[in-house]
Amino acid sequence: MSPNAAQLLARRLDELALVTDEPARITRTFLSPAMHRANALVAGWMNEVGLKTRIDSVGNLIGRLEASSPRALAKPKTLLLGSHLDTVRDAGRFDGPLGVLLPIVALAELRRRGIALPFAVEVLGFSEEEGVRFSSAYLGSKGYSGQLRASDLKHRDAKNLSVREALATNAKPFALPKPAHRQSNLLGYIEVHIEQGPVLENEKLAVGVVSAIAGQTRGRLTFRGKAGHAGTTPMALRRDALAGAAELVLFAESLARKTPPLVATVGTLTVSPGAPNVIPGEVTLSLDVRHPRDAARRTALARLFAHAKKIASARQLTCDWQATQDNGAVACSAPLTALLAQSVRAVQSRSLALVSGAGHDAVVMSALTPVAMLFVRCRDGLSHHPDEFASPRDLDVALRVAVDFLERLAQQNPA
Amino acid sequence: MSPNAAQLLARRLDELALVTDEPARITRTFLSPAMHRANALVAGWMNEVGLKTRIDSVGNLIGRLEASSPRALAKPKTLLLGSHLDTVRDAGRFDGPLGVLLPIVALAELRRRGIALPFAVEVLGFSEEEGVRFSSAYLGSKGYSGQLRASDLKHRDAKNLSVREALATNAKPFALPKPAHRQSNLLGYIEVHIEQGPVLENEKLAVGVVSAIAGQTRGRLTFRGKAGHAGTTPMALRRDALAGAAELVLFAESLARKTPPLVATVGTLTVSPGAPNVIPGEVTLSLDVRHPRDAARRTALARLFAHAKKIASARQLTCDWQATQDNGAVACSAPLTALLAQSVRAVQSRSLALVSGAGHDAVVMSALTPVAMLFVRCRDGLSHHPDEFASPRDLDVALRVAVDFLERLAQQNPA
C-alpha cells in the first residue's frame, strides 16, 4: 500500500469539503450549484485513474472502468462502489464523500500495483441521499436503480419547485429512468461509510462489516387529556397529557434497553397549550424505532402501542398514532459480507459485524443487486456535524481492506 | 341594581374575548398587538364612566376616577380595583378580564344611583400576569407597584427579545418604574376573580372571600446530556436528556399526589435539537410548585431538586435550576376582608372564606397596600380553557357585592 494513499484520500475529502452552497459551512443539496462543482471535481479524480465519467438524468456522477481482460463470449460483470455526494446542512466531510473518494484511491493503488480487474467497476457519486432539499431521500440511488416513481417527483422544495421541474432540462421533460443495469450483469454494490455511531470506537476497531441495515418505523404519538389551572386543579382531578407522555418515553427507553439491538428514540415532544401554569392538555411526540429484524421491530411497536393505550386508559387520556415512515430491514449479501470480513481480518486484528442503525444508499441499491457495507470508525460516533472525523490512520485501514477485497473478488471471478 | 348590569358585563367579557393574537382562540400576551387593542377597547368603557385613562411604562391600562368631594386639607385616598388583561394561550373569557370589567360596571351602577365616592378609584388592567411570553409572571403589577427589578428584565421570549428590549421605546431605553402611589395614599387593592377551583361550586355559593393566597415557586429546570444519531447510538451509550426529564415529570406528579394540598406542574417542555432521528441533547422544562404553607412548599422543592440531581447523576446528565418566580403565601387584609364578607352576607346566604391555590396580581400588590379578593364560582372549577364559564346570575351576585362594598367603604371613609 502506498504510504501516501490515505493522505491523498484525506486531502481530497478536505478539498471536496470546500465545495459548498453556504459560505463557512458544508452544505450541498440535490442539483445545487455546489453539487455541479463537486461532480466536476470528483470526475477529474476519476478520470486520472482511467474511469470514463458521465452524469445521468438524476444528476448522479458515474465513473466506469471497463474490465481489463474481457472474455470473448461472456460480457464481464460490473461491480458497483459508491455513496452520495450531497450533504445535510452544516455537514461534516465524511458522510457520503468517503464512499465515493475511497474507491477511486483504491483503484489507483491497484493500478500502481499493476493489478487489472477481470470485471468492470462503476464508482457512483449519488446526487441525493440526505433528503434535505425535497424532504425526500435517496433520489439519486432510486434513479440509478430504476426505482423512482411518479410520486417521488411531486415533492417540492422551499421555492415550491417540484422534483420533476428540477430534473427537467431545457430540451425535454424528465422521464423516469430505467435501471442502469440488468441485475444479472452486476456483482454487487459496496458502500464504505463512517459508522455514525460509537460501537467501533468502543471496540477500538478502525473498521467493521455491516451485517444488516435496520428496519425503521417513524411516526407521531399524540396524547390528549385536559388543560387546567396548575394552581387550582387538585392532583387527583388532573388529566395531564405530559405525565402520560413521560411514562411512554421511559417505557420506550426501558423496552429498548431490555431487548438489544432494538433502539427506540423520542426526539421531539411538543406540549400544548404550553404555559408554565397550565396543565398540559395535549402532547405530541415523535417515536423512531429500529431493529435489524422486521419481526422484532413489529413486536416492539406492538408493545409500545399497547403500553401507550394502557397509559391513556389509566389516565383518562386518548392516544393516537400516525406513522410517517416504515422501512423494512435490509440484510447484506452473505457471500459479499463474508469476503469483506476476510479482508478486514487480513488487515486488522478482527472483524466485527455491525448493524447499521442509519439508512444508506445500500438500502435502495439492495433492490437492484446484493449489497455489502464497510463502516469506518468516527470520533465520538459523531456525524451530521462539522466536527465529524475519521482519522487518516483509519482511512488507511479502510483503503487496505478495499484493495484486499477487490483482489479477493478478482480471484473469485477470473477472466 | 340595574337588571341589565350583569348582562352588560357578560356582553363586554364576550366582546373582549374576540380580541386575540391567535385566530379562533383567545390568546393575549404581554405587549402583543391584541393587548394594545384590548387596552383601547377597555379604555373606551372606562371613559364612558368618567375614568381618565392612561397606559403606564409597562403597558398597564389605568383608569382613574377622582374623589367626588375632596376635602380641602387632606388629599383623598385612592382605592385600587383590578386584575389583568393578558391571558394564557387558548384561554377562557373570565380569568383576568372579570376583575377589570366588573369594577367599571359597578362604578356605572353607583353613578346611576347618584352615589359619589369620597375617595379616588383606579381601575387597573395589568399588562402581564400569566407569564406566557417571558415565562415570568406579574410584570404588570410589579411595574405598577414599583417592584420590577433589573433581573426581571433579562428574561427572553421565543424570538430572543428580552423584557428590557420589549419595553424600550424608540425614544428612550426602559427605566425601572417607581411605585404608582405612596402606600399612605392608598385604601387597598380589591381583585375580583373566578375561583378557578371547585370549592364554591361544591358549596353551592356564587361568591366567596379569599383569606390567603398559596405560596408559589416557578422556574426552569434544564437537563443536558448528549445529542446523537437515533439509529446508530446503542441504548447503553446514550445520555438522553428527555428520558431524564420524563423521570422528573413523573416524580413531581407522584410527590404532589402523596402530599396534598401540594400541587406540582410541568407545563412546558422543550427538546433540543428536536428532530425525530436525533437523541435529545438538552431539555428545559418549567416547574410550578404551590402550597398554602411556605415551609411545606420549600420541603417539596428540596425533594424535587434532590431527585433531579439523582436522575442527572445516574444518567450522566447535568441539571440546572433557574428560578423565575418565588412568592410566599399572602394573607389578605383582615379589615378589608371583613368588610367584603359583610357585603357578601348582605347579598347571598353566607360568606365562605377560601384559600386561593392560584397566584394573582393581589400577591404582588400586597407589598404596596392591603389586599382583598372576591372569588366568583366557575363551572367545573375550570379555567385556562375556552370552556371557562361564570354564569350571568353569579356575575350579578358579584356585582351587587362590589357595589355594596364600595358603599360600605364610602361610609367608613367620609369626605
Side-chain angles (χ1 to χ4, degrees), chain A residues 147-370:
Chain A
Q147 295 180 83
L148 265 190
R149 300 290 168 256
S151 57
D152 292 313
L153 306 182
K154 287 178 184 162
H155 298 290
R156 292 184 174 273
D157 67 6
K159 291 178 176 163
N160 205 32
L161 201 73
S162 71
V163 176
R164 184 185 293 278
E165 288 158 358
L167 285 168
T169 61
N170 290 334
K172 51 180 180 176
F174 176 73
L176 291 171
K178 291 197 164 47
H181 302 273
R182 285 189 191 181
Q183 299 198 7
S184 57
N185 291 340
L186 294 173
L187 283 173
Y189 169 80
I190 313 294
E191 184 165 355
V192 181
H193 205 282
I194 54 167
E195 182 199 343
Q196 305 183 265
V199 177
L200 289 172
E201 194 169 56
N202 245 27
E203 299 279 338
K204 302 194 194 313
L205 292 172
V207 299
V209 176
V210 175
S211 57
I213 299 161
Q216 180 181 357
T217 299
R218 214 187 274 183
R220 282 184 289 271
L221 205 55
T222 299
F223 287 98
R224 283 186 195 85
K226 185 158 193 179
H229 193 291
T232 60
T233 314
M235 300 306 293
L237 299 180
R238 296 183 176 206
R239 290 163 53 202
D240 184 334
L242 179 57
E247 280 193 65
L248 189 88
V249 168
L250 293 172
F251 180 80
E253 183 191 48
S254 147
L255 178 66
R257 278 181 173 173
K258 276 187 277 187
T259 53
L262 180 72
V263 287
T265 306
V266 176
T268 73
L269 188 151
T270 55
V271 180
S272 174
N277 58 344
V278 182
I279 299 159
E282 184 174 322
V283 166
T284 297
L285 56 87
S286 65
L287 190 60
D288 179 314
V289 175
R290 311 190 196 197
H291 197 287
R293 285 187 302 108
D294 289 341
R297 179 169 44 92
R298 304 234 170 271
T299 302
L301 283 167
R303 291 186 65 182
L304 282 162
F305 296 155
H307 197 75
K309 231 174 180 172
K310 195 176 141 193
I311 292 166
S313 158
R315 290 179 171 275
Q316 294 183 266
L317 309 173
T318 65
C319 178
D320 294 300
W321 167 253
Q322 196 193 357
T324 55
Q325 196 176 322
D326 197 64
N327 300 107
V330 168
C332 290
S333 151
L336 285 177
T337 299
L339 198 67
L340 194 56
Q342 281 182 36
S343 297
V344 170
R345 277 191 294 272
V347 175
Q348 79 180 13
S349 56
R350 66 183 171 109
S351 176
L352 181 73
L354 292 154
V355 169
S356 172
H360 293 289
D361 290 306
V363 170
V364 172
M365 294 297 284
S366 69
L368 179 69
T369 188

Side-chain angles (χ1 to χ4, degrees), chain A residues 198-199 202 253 256-258 260-264, chain B residues 232-240 279 314-316:
Chain A
V199 177
N202 245 27
E253 183 191 48
R257 278 181 173 173
K258 276 187 277 187
L262 180 72
V263 287
Chain B
T232 60
T233 314
M235 299 307 293
L237 298 179
R238 296 182 177 206
R239 290 163 53 203
D240 184 334
I279 298 159
R315 292 179 170 275
Q316 293 183 268

